[in-house]
Structures are given as structure tokens and as C-alpha cells.
Amino acid sequence: MKQSPAGRLPPPKERRRLRENASLTHDQVAARIGVTPETVRSWEAGRSTPRGRKGGAYLSLLGELAEPAVPVEVTVSQAPLSRADVTDCPPAADEDAPAAPEPVLAGVGAAVAGDHDTAEIPRVPAADGPAPATASAPAAEDTTEAGGTGPLATAAAPLTPAQAFDALYGFCSPALVRQTYLLCGRRELAREAVERAFQLAWQRWPEVARDRDPAGWVRASAYEYALSPWHRFRPRYRSPEAPPADASDRALLNVLLKLPPTYRRTLLLYDGVGLDLPETAAETEASTPAAANRVRHAREAVAERLPDLADPGELHRRLAELASSERLRAPKPTAVREGSERRARFWTRAAIAFTVAIVGATALTLRTAPTHYESPVSPGENVRGVPPRTAPGPLSDRELELRAKLRAETVSGPERLVPLTR
């Protein structure tokens, strides 16, 4: 896109696209211009028009974002990229070290552009973090030729699917495990939910890689798995787990677990992760007014039991501290990918075996089924008493005498109809 002339702003959708291409959040754009994030969302949605000095600064920023990037001559190393080369988050294997409270929940909250105003509920600003890596983001490192004297190569290759998945996993898994722990209150279930969510993402990686918010896709899958009501029937999850060591953390976790699952999830997304109200409503599959009511009722329930958390900012801080207090180690991305492939092979073979069984049963039925109709045999009847004699036998003397009399009488007449008796 060419830079817009002075005094002429691009359409709202173009403004939004420029910001997303630059991997900037609403908070970052607002900090550079000197306005609130809600104002930036209003400008991108087309509800208001930038004017004055702020509008000029916004127009200059869009012009900078619209300028084509200067091509850099780089060469790509053939070795797999580590997660530290792609994101600023530490790898999942280093989670034993205490993490900072604020980015714990906001790290996975990808800044998805919203088109609705959220002024009716106080907002909690989310910490600005690095944007999640996607499969289409090229990564390269500056290297020279083997001798160190030749010019730099001009080849720039994109990440392989495995490298892109590992980058997304390294960015999301540490914070996502802690979020899921706040959602279900079980450490082992939180790790299992995140692992299953990333296994599903690897099985559907072409779809996830092209998604607008891959982190949100994985987060929604992990939340749905953690909140499944079928876990109560599993023997390993029937007994309660050890509560947090701190008394305030135990009180907050108990209050969260007493909330309805939908209220708990909405409160965690809005006040914990830092999503906007429309984004929270979309992820929870609810309308924006319904999500606002859930957040309001959840805050009232928490403030009723813990009056110190009536302030949304204090609630956000305590949620981050509670999540960071638990050391939840996520499995390595290689193990997750291998587990996903094993699960896919198992279900594929199971489906093939089930199909073969159905085909065999159908063929056996067709082979043994009758080809014509056979009438059923009528049931027999029980015989009572002595049956009457039906076959002809010798006549008695009286019957012989009667027969002779009938033969001697006239053929017609009353005497024939009414025989005379002796």
C-alpha cells in the first residue's frame, strides 16, 4: 500500500491491518500517540475520526507503518531456531524460576482488534508483551560466508511447521498452564489440558497457522478441556489436590472455584488475561451484554467474599500473583508433537478397524440372509377328549333297518320328509 497523502486517512479496515502487520497492540499505538486504547479502537472501528494534533500524530504513524520495509540481505541458518530466537519469553524448561507477576496472565492475551466500546465496565490494562509468533513470520540471522569475506546471501526462508509450532508453544505454554490452573484448581489437569490443546493444534496445524490469533485458538481449546464435566468421573481427579501454601491465595482460589464455570472463565479472560469485552464474548460464545453481566456478577461475588479485591486493578494483580506462585512445568514441544502424532495414528487405526468390522458384519448378513419368503408354520392345537369317528364303518342293526325302510318308501311325499317311527 502506498502512503496516504497528508490530511487523508485510510479506511478503518486498512488502519487495523496496518497495525496488525506491524505487530502492535492497541496499548502500544495509544502510548505512541498519547491517547487511550479505547480511542484507538474507536478510530479503527470507524466510530470516530481522528482530528487535531492527535489525528496528525495518528496519520504520521500510519504513514510509517505503510512504508515498505527495506529489504535486508540475510542468510538463514539451517539449524533449528530456539524459542529464545523468536520470542522474548523464556523456554518452558526454565519455569522453575519465579516469574514476574504481571506478564504471567497477559503474555497469552494476544491483542486482537475489537470493534465495540467497553466503557461500561472498567478496563484493566494488560501488560505489553511480544506478539505471538505465527507460521508465516520469517526468522533469520545475520551470517557471512565461510571465509568471512564474501557478500551476504539474499535468501530468506520461512519457518518450518515444527519450528513455528515450537515458537508458539514456547510463547504460550508457560502462561497458559498457570491460567488453566486458575480455571480448574488442579495442577495436573492444567498441564494435561494445555498438552491436549497443543496436540490438537499440531493435528490441525495448517488451520491454526493461518488463524488470526493462534494463541487464542489454543487457549480456547485448553479452557474447554479443563472445564469438561467428565473429569469428575476419572479416578485420578476424584480426590482434592493440595491447596496453595499462602492463606490469601487459598481464599482467592476457593472463591474462583465456587463461581459458575462460565463466570469463572469470563472473569479470567477479562480481568486476568486482559482481553476486551467483545473478544471475551466471542471466545466464550456469548453476546457482549451477556459477557458484561458475567464479569459484573463475578466481580460482585469475589468482592462479597474478599472485600479487598473490589478494585479491578487489585483483582488483576492478585490473579497474577496467584498464578505465578505455582511452579507448573509444561512438557517439551517435541514430546507434545510426538504425542499428537501417536494419538492421531491410534485413532486412525481404530477408525480403520471399526470400518472393517462394519463391512464384515454387513457382508456376513448379506451372505446368510434368506433370498425368498417362507411362510411360518401355524401353531398346533391341543386335542381334548375322544375325537369323533369320521371314517365309514359297519352299520348297526338299527341303521340297516332304517336304511331299508327309507329305500322302500316313496321317493317324494310327507312320509319321506318325516319318517314314521315304530
Side-chain angles (χ1 to χ4, degrees):
M1 170 185 171
K2 298 182 179 180
Q3 185 175 352
S4 301
R8 183 178 180 183
L9 286 170
K13 293 183 178 179
E14 189 67 20
R15 306 171 199 170
R16 179 175 173 180
R17 188 186 66 82
L18 291 175
R19 178 186 59 78
E20 293 176 351
N21 291 342
S23 299
L24 295 177
T25 64
H26 290 116
D27 297 336
Q28 293 171 343
V29 174
R32 296 178 62 174
I33 300 176
V35 296
T36 61
E38 285 73 15
T39 303
V40 177
R41 296 187 184 92
S42 180
W43 289 348
E44 291 185 356
R47 294 191 298 267
S48 61
T49 304
R51 295 186 178 87
R53 182 175 58 86
K54 305 295 184 182
Y58 185 57
L59 179 60
S60 301
L61 177 60
L62 292 179
E64 295 176 3
L65 300 180
E67 291 179 356
V70 179
V72 180
E73 296 180 351
V74 296
T75 182
V76 179
S77 175
Q78 299 299 328
L81 296 180
S82 62
R83 289 170 290 187
D85 296 334
V86 184
T87 64
D88 296 336
C89 293
D94 299 337
E95 290 183 19
D96 290 338
E102 284 297 326
V104 168
L105 292 177
V108 185
V112 184
D115 295 338
H116 299 278
D117 193 4
T118 59
E120 63 272 9
I121 295 183
R123 289 295 299 119
V124 177
D128 293 335
T134 58
S136 60
E141 53 184 9
D142 295 337
T143 58
T144 58
E145 292 183 354
T149 57
L152 295 177
T154 58
L159 293 175
T160 62
Q163 292 175 346
F165 176 83
D166 293 350
L168 178 65
Y169 184 86
F171 181 85
C172 298
S173 59
L176 187 56
V177 173
R178 295 182 173 93
Q179 293 177 27
T180 312
Y181 170 70
L182 296 182
L183 198 65
C184 62
R186 291 183 174 274
R187 301 171 183 85
E188 188 63 28
L189 179 58
R191 286 189 288 263
E192 182 182 355
V194 174
E195 184 177 359
R196 290 292 181 86
F198 275 100
Q199 288 179 356
L200 184 61
W202 181 244
Q203 294 176 8
R204 305 179 181 179
W205 184 245
E207 173 189 349
V208 178
R210 292 178 176 85
D211 194 86
R212 177 184 173 189
D213 184 14
W217 193 99
V218 178
R219 181 178 58 241
S221 300
Y223 285 8
E224 290 178 1
Y225 184 86
L227 292 177
S228 175
W230 299 105
H231 295 305
R232 70 184 68 176
F233 301 106
R234 302 175 63 180
R236 60 187 301 184
Y237 294 132
R238 289 179 182 176
S239 58
E241 284 191 356
D246 187 68
S248 60
D249 292 344
R250 288 198 303 269
L252 178 56
L253 185 60
N254 291 335
V255 171
L256 290 177
L257 296 180
K258 288 180 180 179
L259 294 175
T262 54
Y263 286 27
R264 194 188 321 155
R265 182 177 182 179
T266 306
L267 181 67
L268 179 62
L269 290 174
Y270 191 77
D271 285 337
V273 180
L275 298 185
D276 292 336
L277 192 60
E279 301 163 4
T280 303
E283 188 159 328
T284 56
E285 297 181 355
S287 61
T288 303
N293 291 331
R294 291 176 183 177
V295 173
R296 185 175 296 108
H297 292 319
R299 285 179 176 177
E300 292 176 356
V302 173
E304 182 180 356
R305 296 177 175 86
L306 300 175
D308 298 339
L309 302 183
D311 180 35
E314 181 65 18
L315 177 60
H316 173 75
R317 185 185 66 81
R318 289 290 295 115
L319 288 175
E321 291 180 354
L322 175 58
S324 60
S325 63
E326 296 293 334
R327 295 184 178 181
L328 303 173
R329 182 187 299 273
K332 295 182 179 180
T334 305
V336 174
R337 286 191 280 107
E338 292 176 355
S340 176
E341 293 170 0
R342 287 195 302 268
R343 185 176 296 273
R345 287 195 297 267
F346 170 77
W347 286 112
T348 301
R349 294 170 181 173
I352 293 176
F354 182 75
T355 304
V356 170
I358 292 296
V359 172
T362 304
L364 180 62
T365 303
L366 295 177
R367 180 68 180 82
T368 58
T371 58
H372 59 280
Y373 176 76
E374 297 179 359
S375 59
V377 179
S378 59
E381 297 181 358
N382 296 330
V383 178
R384 297 180 179 179
V386 180
R389 188 176 58 180
T390 57
L395 300 178
S396 61
D397 296 340
R398 186 176 180 180
E399 291 176 348
L400 292 174
E401 185 179 356
L402 179 60
R403 185 181 66 178
K405 181 180 180 180
L406 291 175
R407 289 178 178 178
E409 295 291 337
T410 56
V411 177
S412 61
E415 296 82 0
R416 184 68 177 177
L417 295 178
V418 183
L420 298 178
T421 56
R422 295 182 180 177

